[in-house]
Amino acid sequence: MAIETQKYMDDLDLFQRKIGIIVGAKTKNRDKIANSIKMQDSIRLKIKHWAGSKEIKKWRQKRN
């Protein structure tokens, strides 16, 4: 009985560690996404009316 109990406890401990890693990874990803959004918003405020896609199109046409 003690061996089975120890096996269940080991399995539970392993499960808890795996869940901790998954939750931590999701939190890190959310933080990275939030930081990226803030950075993009601040850049947009600085460039105001600049149309990036139009500029890239011009650069590509000049190159060809």
Side-chain angles (χ1 to χ4, degrees), residues 34-54:
N35 288 337
S36 297
I37 291 170
K38 287 178 187 175
M39 181 67 74
Q40 289 173 7
D41 288 344
S42 69
I43 291 170
R44 282 190 191 106
L45 289 174
K46 291 177 183 177
I47 60 174
K48 297 187 182 180
H49 301 292
W50 188 74
S53 58
K54 290 180 182 177

Side-chain angles (χ1 to χ4, degrees), residues 7 10 12-13 21 24-25 29-31 36 42 44 50-52:
K7 182 183 179 309
D10 290 344
L12 180 60
D13 184 50
I21 291 169
N29 287 340
R30 287 185 189 141
D31 291 344
S36 297
S42 69
R44 282 190 191 106
W50 188 74

Side-chain angles (χ1 to χ4, degrees), residues 9-30:
M9 294 301 290
D10 290 344
D11 289 346
L12 180 60
D13 184 50
L14 181 62
F15 180 73
Q16 287 175 329
R17 286 188 207 167
K18 287 181 179 181
I19 293 298
I21 291 169
I22 292 169
V23 169
K26 287 184 179 181
T27 303
K28 288 179 186 176
N29 287 340
R30 287 185 189 141

